[in-house]
């Protein structure tokens, strides 16, 4: 046996916390480690999470334990048990050391279960405030803007709500930016008029994009906001950390105007690349404008002059440990951790918090007359203000002046905010609310390019949201942005690639399969979902594959591994899987001896469609609602925990449904809630169809011959399935096409939703013109 006694001599100490390993013994041989831990009065252990299960046994003292934002009192004789990945720390609130022993061990099954738990880290137990970084109201939103924080936050909140979380999307317009002043000068408006105009335009564009915002604050038009901001600023100055300090600054050489942010640019003092005032978009490090290399004034070709000025200033270098501690609480990308380490190596980092300007909110303090509170500090407070305002709207006790440890905050932002959001803002919170440890996750996207160069309003190099968004296109745009948005690397939007994707994948793949499935349900099961019959191994394997997609999508949209790129790939993967499955099962679909197995195939395809509708709801809510309705169900509101069959007998209305409009037809396509032309409408004009395909008369006759239809039977506007073609006849047709015109057409295409006219055009596209001409002459 081994006996371990806590010793005060020679422990490993860190910030008032002593760690003494227990000597290896029988516990270690059983896979259990043990450590003595002593926390000094007033000290706090480092918040952390790990894959081991852990138990703390408290033997002396008293304190407060925080686990995933929840606080619990502990004292001698308390025992706390932690599941893998729970974030935990303890604060000694007493006058004597808080002593406990930690026992920890690995349990792989338990760890995997915890990692897959959609409610871990307190999600689902506490209010969840999701922020898309507030836009500057100096212009409307283009696709580059929409692809990033707004869209990401919207999908995140929709998914969390389907999981049952108390989740809210909050944003607004960052009205007091000096970029608004520049736009006002350019457009001949006042800053207030400019902010009000573009704030309204931004909100309207978000609505067109189907982005739900539960609280939108336009800071310059909220009567209560200026006083609340001043009170927050006074909290900072009362701490003594934020104080008036003299420092270098830049001024326009000719007018003497103070220069910062949009008023100045130059070369970054860190990486040497071109940089704007206050932050470099290349290396993401902040600057204070006066340290720019070869600074340039936005309003003059004459280089600015350097001077000195007194401003309220934050010595951020004094808070590097607080920032590091903050980064251990939530989800922080590795690139931010590395940026924080770079900044921590600076000897000093003094950030001015007020600037000489007329547009903005002046502090209550009179030490710096003529100055206003910097917009980034303004934005830091607007986050708390938005939570408080939402609380007032909902009758909840959320108070901007008393932030709660129970709050979970999630930020969606662009990479150019990698300093401000995860470093500057938490430092301000530490000063204003020293007892609050904000638990914040950060989701960061890079720049989205247009045709491989940056979106630019000044160069007219942009695609504006209002120009392309309407009820017919919004699903396609949302899905394509999900697939291509810049997660972890810069990506590009190419209009031709987008149009091709919609035409070939969403219309030619998704919609084609759904229409074909509807046709087969109508023909074989009178328009109602069949009950599954006999299951073959292939059926069980396909069900398992669908479950794999469901599980992977849960992770791709979840709080830890959120990735719209991955989610879009998985949604498309469902369709690719089911189309392959249907193609492989098609040859036996009409074989009498296998009719019970064929029923199972159809039932599983309908289950895949149901899964697609439910899992697509956060990304494409309109498509999800329409597909669910076509499958006889309500709009999806709960995230699926399994793959479920459509109940037998449910009316299925997939045949002919238009879910996506091709880009070239979007202006003339009816709303996707309507149905396309079906076989019950008047037949298309044969002469018009012949213009589409020279092979149509020949191909139409071939179809009539195989199906033994009258020579004058109308076939051009009908699919082969609706004409009565079965799998064996389709194989015969496939053979005839290969033999007579050397065309390779899949059974999936022949028995899909294409009309005879559409199939004729499809066949003709791959043929030698001489072959087309020969058959057109023979059969014309």
């Amino acid at each position: 046996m081994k006996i371990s006694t806590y010793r005060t001599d020679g422990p490993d100490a860190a910030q008032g916390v002593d760690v003494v390993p227990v000597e290896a013994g029988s516990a270690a041989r059983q896979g259990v480690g043990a450590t003595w831990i002593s926390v000094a009065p007033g000290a706090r252990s480092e918040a952390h999470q790990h894959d081991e299960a852990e138990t703390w046994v408290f033997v002396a003292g008293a304190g407060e334990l925080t686990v995933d934002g929840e606080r619990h009192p502990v004292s001698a004789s308390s025992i706390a048990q932690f599941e893998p990945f729970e974030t935990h720390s303890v604060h000694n609130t007493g006058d004597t050391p808080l002593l406990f022993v930690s026992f920890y061990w690995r349990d792989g099954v338990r760890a995997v279960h915890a990692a897959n738990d959609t409610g871990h880290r307190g999600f689902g137990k506490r209010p969840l405030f999701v922020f898309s970084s507030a836009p500057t109201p100096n212009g409307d939103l283009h696709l580059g803007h929409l692809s990033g924080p707004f869209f990401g936050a919207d999908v995140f909140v929709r998914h969390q709500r389907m999981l049952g979380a108390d989740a809210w999307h909050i944003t607004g317009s960052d009205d007091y930016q000096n970029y608004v002043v520049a736009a006002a000068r350019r457009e001949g408006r006042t800053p207030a008029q400019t902010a009000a105009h573009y704030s309204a335009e931004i909100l309207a564009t978000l609505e067109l994009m189907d982005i739900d915002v539960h609280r939108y604050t336009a800071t310059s038009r909220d009567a209560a906001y200026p006083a609340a901001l001043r009170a927050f600023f006074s909290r900072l100055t009362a701490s003594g950390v934020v104080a008036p300090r003299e420092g270098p600054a830049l001024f326009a050489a000719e007018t003497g105007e103070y220069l910062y942010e949009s008023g100045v640019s130059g070369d970054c003092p860190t990486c040497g690349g071109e940089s704007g005032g206050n932050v470099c978009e290349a290396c993401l490090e902040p600057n204070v404008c006066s340290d720019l290399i070869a600074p340039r004034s936005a309003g003059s070709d004459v280089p600015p002059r350097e001077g000195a000025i007194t401003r309220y200033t934050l010595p951020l270098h004094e808070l590097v440990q607080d920032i590091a501690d903050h980064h251990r609480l939530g989800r922080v990308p590795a690139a931010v951790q590395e940026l924080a380490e770079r900044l921590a190596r600076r000897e000093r980092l003094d950030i001015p918090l007020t600037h000489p300007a007329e547009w903005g909110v002046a502090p209550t303090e009179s030490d710096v007359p003529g100055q206003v509170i910097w917009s980034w500090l303004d934005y830091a407070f607007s986050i708390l203000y938005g939570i408080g305002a939402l609380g007032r709207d909902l009758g909840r006790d959320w108070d901007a002046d008393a932030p709660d440890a129970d709050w979970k905050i999630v930020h969606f932002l662009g990479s150019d905010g990698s300093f401000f959001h995860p470093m500057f803002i938490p430092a301000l919170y530490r000063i204003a609310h020293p007892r609050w440890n904000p638990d914040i996750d950060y989701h960061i996207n890079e720049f989205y390019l247009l045709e491989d160069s940056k979106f630019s309003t000044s160069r007219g190099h942009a695609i504006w949201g209002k120009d392309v968004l309407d009820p017919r296109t919004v699903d396609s745009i949302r899905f394509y942005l999900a697939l291509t948005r810049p997660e972890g690397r810069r990506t590009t939007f190419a209009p031709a690639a987008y149009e091709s994707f919609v035409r070939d994948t969403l219309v030619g793949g998704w919609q084609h399969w759904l229409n074909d499935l509807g046709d087969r349900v109508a023909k074989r099961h009178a328009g109602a979902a069949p009950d599954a019959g006999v299951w073959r191994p292939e059926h069980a394997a396909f069900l398992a594959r669908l479950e794999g997609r469901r599980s992977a999508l849960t992770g791709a949209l979840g709080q830890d591994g959120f990735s719209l790129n991955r989610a879009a790939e998985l949604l498309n993967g469902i369709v690719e899987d089911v189309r392959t499955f249907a193609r492989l099962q098609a040859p036996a679909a009409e074989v009498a001896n296998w009719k019970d197995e064929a029923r199972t195939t159809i039932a599983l395809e309908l289950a895949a469609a149901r899964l697609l509708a439910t899992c697509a709801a956060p990304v494409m809510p309109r498509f999800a609602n329409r597909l669910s309705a076509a499958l006889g169900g309500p709009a999806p509101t709960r995230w699926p925990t399994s793959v479920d069959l459509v109940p037998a007998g449910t009316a299925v209305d997939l045949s002919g449904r238009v879910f996506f409009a091709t880009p070239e037809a979007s202006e003339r396509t009816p709303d996707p809630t309507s149905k396309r032309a079906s076989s019950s409408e008047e037949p298309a004009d044969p002469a018009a169809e012949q213009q589409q395909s020279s092979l149509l008369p020949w191909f139409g006759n071939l179809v009539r011959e195989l199906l033994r239809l009258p020579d004058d039977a109308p076939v051009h506007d009908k699919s082969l399935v609706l004409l009565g073609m079965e799998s064996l006849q389709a194989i015969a047709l496939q053979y005839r096409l290969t033999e007579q015109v050397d065309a390779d057409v899949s059974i999936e295409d022949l028995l899909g939703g294409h009309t005879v006219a559409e199939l004729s055009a499809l066949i003709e596209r791959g043929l030698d013109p001489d072959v087309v001409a020969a058959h057109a002459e023979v059969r014309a």
Side-chain angles (χ1 to χ4, degrees):
M1 65 171 289
K2 293 284 186 179
I3 296 177
S4 176
T5 303
Y6 178 72
R7 296 176 294 104
T8 58
D9 58 312
D12 296 326
Q15 297 183 309
V17 178
D18 297 339
V19 179
V20 180
V22 173
E23 293 183 24
S26 60
R29 289 196 297 271
Q30 295 298 321
V32 178
T35 302
W36 286 102
I37 300 174
S38 178
V39 184
R44 183 188 303 272
S45 70
E46 186 178 85
H48 63 289
Q49 56 279 128
H50 41 67
D51 66 313
E52 295 103 335
E54 186 175 18
T55 298
W56 286 358
V57 180
F58 292 87
V59 297
E64 185 177 69
L65 183 67
T66 302
V67 184
D68 286 339
E70 290 189 63
R71 295 177 179 177
H72 309 273
V74 291
S75 59
S77 76
S78 296
I79 296 178
Q81 294 181 322
F82 309 111
E83 290 299 311
F85 312 120
E86 286 185 325
T87 302
H88 50 280
S89 66
V90 66
H91 177 209
N92 186 343
T93 58
D95 299 326
T96 60
L98 177 63
L99 181 64
F100 59 95
V101 62
S102 166
F103 298 97
Y104 49 91
W105 64 96
R106 280 195 165 89
D107 182 332
V109 173
R110 197 168 175 180
V112 169
H113 176 77
N116 286 325
D117 180 6
T118 58
H120 83 275
R121 294 203 292 127
F123 281 72
K125 294 181 181 177
R126 48 183 171 157
L128 178 60
F129 306 112
V130 182
F131 288 85
S132 50
S133 55
T136 302
N138 63 340
D140 204 349
L141 301 178
H142 51 59
L143 289 187
H145 296 129
L146 291 168
S147 70
F150 309 110
F151 184 35
D154 179 69
V155 175
F156 189 92
V157 169
R158 288 178 184 272
H159 181 242
Q160 287 297 322
R161 287 189 158 204
M162 291 182 76
L163 293 173
D166 185 23
W168 306 90
H169 183 185
I170 302 175
T171 190
S173 54
D174 195 6
D175 290 359
Y176 292 117
Q177 288 265 9
N178 83 331
Y179 292 91
V180 174
V181 177
R185 289 173 179 170
R186 187 171 59 248
E187 298 175 7
R189 293 189 180 106
T190 66
Q193 291 170 335
T194 301
H197 171 74
Y198 284 118
S199 181
E201 291 296 312
I202 287 166
L203 184 56
T205 301
L206 293 177
E207 291 172 350
L208 282 174
M209 184 71 172
D210 283 346
I211 291 175
D212 284 345
V213 176
H214 303 110
R215 174 68 195 187
Y216 184 91
T217 302
T219 52
S220 67
R221 291 184 292 124
D222 187 313
Y225 186 79
L229 174 60
R230 291 188 182 99
F232 178 75
F233 189 83
S234 293
R235 281 180 174 271
L236 299 174
T237 60
S239 71
V241 179
V242 171
R245 294 180 178 87
E246 186 178 69
L250 294 178
F251 302 86
E254 298 169 314
T255 64
E257 180 184 5
Y258 174 81
L259 301 177
Y260 72 114
E261 286 194 334
S262 68
V264 64
S265 61
D267 296 335
C268 175
T270 299
C271 70
E274 186 174 348
S275 173
N278 293 105
V279 71
C280 173
E281 292 183 353
C283 70
L284 307 178
E285 291 205 18
N287 62 70
V288 292
C289 300
S290 59
D291 55 349
L292 287 169
I293 300 169
R296 300 177 289 278
S297 171
S300 173
D301 293 332
V302 180
R305 64 174 177 82
E306 185 173 316
I309 190 172
T310 298
R311 297 160 294 195
Y312 273 97
T313 302
L314 168 68
L316 194 66
H317 51 276
E318 296 178 5
L319 296 156
V320 292
Q321 187 57 53
D322 295 288
I323 293 170
D325 291 343
H326 169 69
H327 289 173
R328 296 185 183 280
L329 275 177
R331 182 187 191 273
V332 180
V336 170
Q337 298 169 18
E338 188 274 335
L339 174 61
E341 175 61 25
R342 269 190 275 146
L343 296 180
R345 293 197 293 267
R346 291 195 188 187
E347 184 178 347
R348 296 194 64 87
L349 184 53
D350 293 300
I351 306 293
L353 301 183
T354 59
H355 297 281
E358 296 180 0
W359 176 241
V361 176
T364 301
E365 292 75 10
S366 59
D367 305 80
V368 288
Q371 296 188 23
V372 299
I373 297 169
W374 189 30
S375 57
W376 273 106
L377 188 155
D378 173 7
Y379 177 67
F381 174 70
S382 75
I383 293 167
L384 303 181
Y385 185 85
I387 295 173
L390 178 64
R392 291 192 297 274
D393 295 342
L394 300 174
R396 309 280 281 269
D397 61 348
W398 302 330
D399 187 350
D401 294 328
D404 196 317
D406 190 45
W407 294 356
K408 179 63 186 181
I409 298 174
V410 180
H411 278 306
F412 281 80
L413 61 139
S415 60
D416 52 346
S418 294
F419 161 70
F420 296 110
H421 287 259
M423 284 170 253
F424 176 71
I425 290 175
L428 295 176
Y429 292 161
R430 168 57 64 193
I431 299 168
H433 301 287
R435 289 184 55 80
W436 180 45
N437 293 305
D439 186 354
I440 305 178
D441 286 359
Y442 300 95
H443 296 267
I444 299 177
N445 59 268
E446 298 291 332
F447 288 110
Y448 199 38
L449 308 178
L450 175 58
E451 299 282 18
D452 294 318
S453 67
K454 193 175 176 182
F455 278 80
S456 171
T457 304
S458 61
R459 293 187 290 112
H461 187 68
I463 298 176
W464 298 101
K466 288 190 177 72
D467 290 341
V468 294
L469 289 167
D470 63 44
R472 295 160 294 188
T473 62
V474 63
D475 281 322
S476 300
I477 289 173
R478 281 176 67 106
F479 187 79
Y480 191 73
L481 293 185
L483 187 66
T484 61
R485 73 193 293 264
E487 296 177 0
R489 81 281 188 228
R490 294 189 176 189
T491 56
T492 192
F493 181 90
Y498 162 71
E499 293 170 7
S500 176
F501 178 83
V502 174
R503 183 170 51 251
D504 298 340
T505 300
L506 295 182
V507 176
W510 293 36
Q511 186 165 289
H512 179 191
W513 161 61
L514 290 168
N515 291 162
D516 172 51
L517 177 58
D519 289 346
R520 286 182 280 130
V521 172
K523 176 177 180 288
R524 300 170 189 170
H525 302 285
D531 194 7
V534 176
W535 287 66
R536 299 288 299 161
E538 300 92 328
H539 294 131
F542 179 65
L543 178 62
R545 187 154 182 81
L546 287 179
E547 170 55 25
R549 296 288 188 186
R550 185 206 64 80
S551 177
L553 273 161
T554 304
L557 293 175
Q559 64 265 33
D560 293 348
F562 184 82
S563 167
L564 279 175
N565 291 170
R566 180 68 178 141
E569 291 169 356
L570 288 163
L571 288 169
N572 192 50
I574 292 175
V575 179
E576 291 178 345
D577 289 347
V578 72
R579 291 180 71 195
T580 299
F581 174 71
R583 176 174 55 81
L584 293 174
Q585 299 302 312
E590 300 293 340
V591 178
N593 287 341
W594 297 93
K595 64 180 186 301
D596 290 335
E597 288 81 358
R599 277 195 294 127
T600 306
T601 296
I602 293 287
L604 280 171
E605 286 192 68
L606 288 171
R610 183 179 188 180
L611 182 69
L612 179 67
T614 310
C615 291
V619 180
M620 294 182 288
R622 290 180 188 244
F623 165 78
N625 292 348
R626 291 197 302 273
L627 180 53
S628 291
L631 294 170
T637 58
R638 306 297 296 177
W639 189 254
T641 57
S642 62
V643 179
D644 298 320
L645 301 179
V646 174
T650 301
V652 174
D653 187 23
L654 288 171
S655 182
R657 282 283 173 186
V658 175
F659 295 102
F660 304 101
T662 55
E664 61 269 18
S666 61
E667 292 187 1
R668 62 179 184 272
T669 303
D671 190 288
T673 55
S674 66
K675 295 184 72 173
R676 74 178 184 193
S678 67
S679 58
S680 63
E681 298 179 359
E682 288 295 321
D685 179 7
E689 288 176 339
Q690 188 165 359
Q691 292 177 7
Q692 297 175 3
S693 170
S694 300
L695 284 179
L696 183 56
W698 167 80
F699 184 61
N701 287 339
L702 181 59
V703 169
R704 293 186 188 96
E705 178 184 338
L706 281 170
L707 294 176
R708 299 183 180 180
L709 298 174
D711 291 345
D712 60 350
V715 299
H716 295 171
D717 64 326
K718 296 179 174 65
S719 72
L720 295 180
V721 171
L722 287 179
L723 288 170
M725 183 168 286
E726 298 178 353
S727 57
L728 291 178
Q729 293 166 314
I731 292 171
L733 177 58
Q734 188 182 42
Y735 176 77
R736 291 277 193 96
L737 291 171
T738 303
E739 180 184 50
Q740 296 184 25
V741 295
D742 195 26
D744 184 13
V745 185
S746 69
I747 294 295
E748 182 184 19
D749 280 332
L750 291 175
L751 295 181
H754 291 307
T755 65
V756 169
E758 291 168 343
L759 282 170
S760 177
L762 178 68
I763 295 165
E764 182 177 335
R765 282 202 296 269
L767 297 185
D768 184 286
D770 292 339
V771 174
V772 175
H775 283 77
E777 288 177 6
V778 170
R779 298 291 184 177

